[in-house]
Amino acid sequence: MDLDAYVGRHRGEWARLEELVRRAARPRRMPAAELDELVELYQKVATHLSVIRSRGPDPVLVDRLAGTVTRARSVVVGTREPGWRVAGRYVAVTFPAAVYARRGWVLATCAACLAVAVALGLWVAHSPAAHSGLLPPDEVRQLCHRDFARYYSENPASSFAAQVWTNNAWVAASAIASGALLGLPTLVVLLFNSVNLGIVGGYMASCGESSQFFTLILPHGMLELAVVFTAGAVGLRLGWSIIDPGPRRRVEALAAEGRAAVAISLGLAAALAVSGLIEAFVTPSSLPAGVRIGIGAFALAMFVGYIQIYGARAVAAGESGDLDRELSADLAPVS
């Protein structure tokens, strides 16, 4: 695109919009025709800004137009919604819609990761070569009879919850952010978690401690693993948008997926806080195993149900989880 020619063709419209924005400070003195012109020019200039950003980036020009569009938007749509409404929309629409729209990737990622973990667990539990080749016998005994259970109770519950949440949130964020590198680091994160789960489970089964393994893993692990695998799915989808952007330009597809990924990462961090509390206060507690596992199953069911109900409703209404979607109505198809 010839940026100079584009600027020359539309400079007059930009100047006119700036003039109308200044006059709109006293809207009662503006004729109705000028108010209509202000709305029309705002839409056009917002589109011009989008075009310049994507095809001919010029920081000075972009900053100028962005300022003009922002001021015009405040005049056209009024002040921003209160913070509590923004937060409420995020919880009820943006986050669940973003996850639900990627449910195919989430389900496939969860199934693949669990398949890897189960296969490795069975291999370690039933293959003498694998059993003896990965860990020395004394470390296996220590893992089965002391370290695995001790991990959940050796630190104060409050500090352990914070530690677990920080670690899991970092893992989830890494899985999402590294998707921008074609998803390859995301695959490593997912594989590491699946392999670790499978090997530990296999060794616990080989020692006859399967019951202890599941009663300590399931209360928090059902929600925690679902969230981590969801983060991995989002990262993989982000990477795939570079490889196959579909009908969109590659940069536009990556930007849209990136914005949705940011929306998802915030919600997943909240879900991981819940699993962290369960891991710190429920998993090592003296509650019966059935009660502890039931609490974990309830937490997972609430998360899945929330995504299913609110996400399906939002997607049916045309939402995608894109944080920038509300600006799409401000763009008008102009040359």
Side-chain angles (χ1 to χ4, degrees), residues 17 38-46 69 72-73 76 330:
L17 178 61
L38 170 61
V39 174
E40 181 181 356
L41 281 176
Y42 160 61
Q43 293 178 318
K44 287 185 176 182
V45 177
V69 169
R73 177 177 172 78
V76 172
D330 298 333

Side-chain angles (χ1 to χ4, degrees), residues 69-151:
V69 169
T70 299
R71 291 191 297 274
R73 177 177 172 78
S74 68
V75 172
V76 172
V77 303
T79 57
R80 297 185 67 86
E81 291 183 321
W84 64 269
R85 286 189 179 177
V86 175
R89 174 176 171 77
Y90 172 79
V91 172
V93 176
T94 306
F95 171 66
V99 177
Y100 185 81
R102 291 153 182 80
R103 61 193 181 280
W105 286 81
V106 173
L107 292 174
T109 301
C110 288
C113 290
L114 290 176
V116 170
V118 170
L120 275 173
L122 294 173
W123 179 56
V124 171
H126 299 288
S127 170
H131 186 276
S132 60
L134 297 177
L135 286 178
D138 57 334
E139 290 188 19
V140 173
R141 287 191 296 271
Q142 190 170 313
L143 170 69
C144 293
H145 301 300
R146 191 189 70 174
D147 288 353
F148 186 75
R150 184 181 178 183
Y151 168 77

Side-chain angles (χ1 to χ4, degrees), residues 176-265:
I176 293 175
S178 59
L181 300 175
L182 299 180
L184 297 178
T186 301
L187 287 173
V188 174
V189 172
L190 291 172
L191 185 61
F192 175 80
N193 281 273
S194 301
V195 168
N196 184 62
L197 177 66
I199 289 177
V200 172
Y203 275 120
M204 294 293 287
S206 70
C207 298
E209 296 290 346
S210 293
S211 176
Q212 182 186 55
F213 173 76
F214 286 113
T215 55
L216 289 176
I217 281 288
L218 289 178
H220 65 276
M222 286 185 281
L223 178 59
E224 178 184 300
L225 291 173
V227 171
V228 170
F229 294 157
T230 298
V234 173
L236 293 177
R237 164 96 176 233
L238 180 63
W240 187 252
S241 70
I242 303 174
I243 300 171
D244 181 15
R248 300 174 293 183
R249 296 172 63 245
R250 185 166 280 104
V251 66
E252 294 170 350
L254 180 60
E257 288 298 325
R259 291 190 298 267
V262 171
I264 292 173
S265 64

Side-chain angles (χ1 to χ4, degrees), residues 286-313:
S286 58
L287 291 172
V291 174
R292 286 182 280 137
I293 294 174
I295 292 173
F298 176 75
L300 176 63
M302 291 294 291
F303 178 74
V304 173
Y306 158 63
I307 297 298
Q308 176 65 35
I309 295 172
Y310 285 89
R313 181 187 305 165

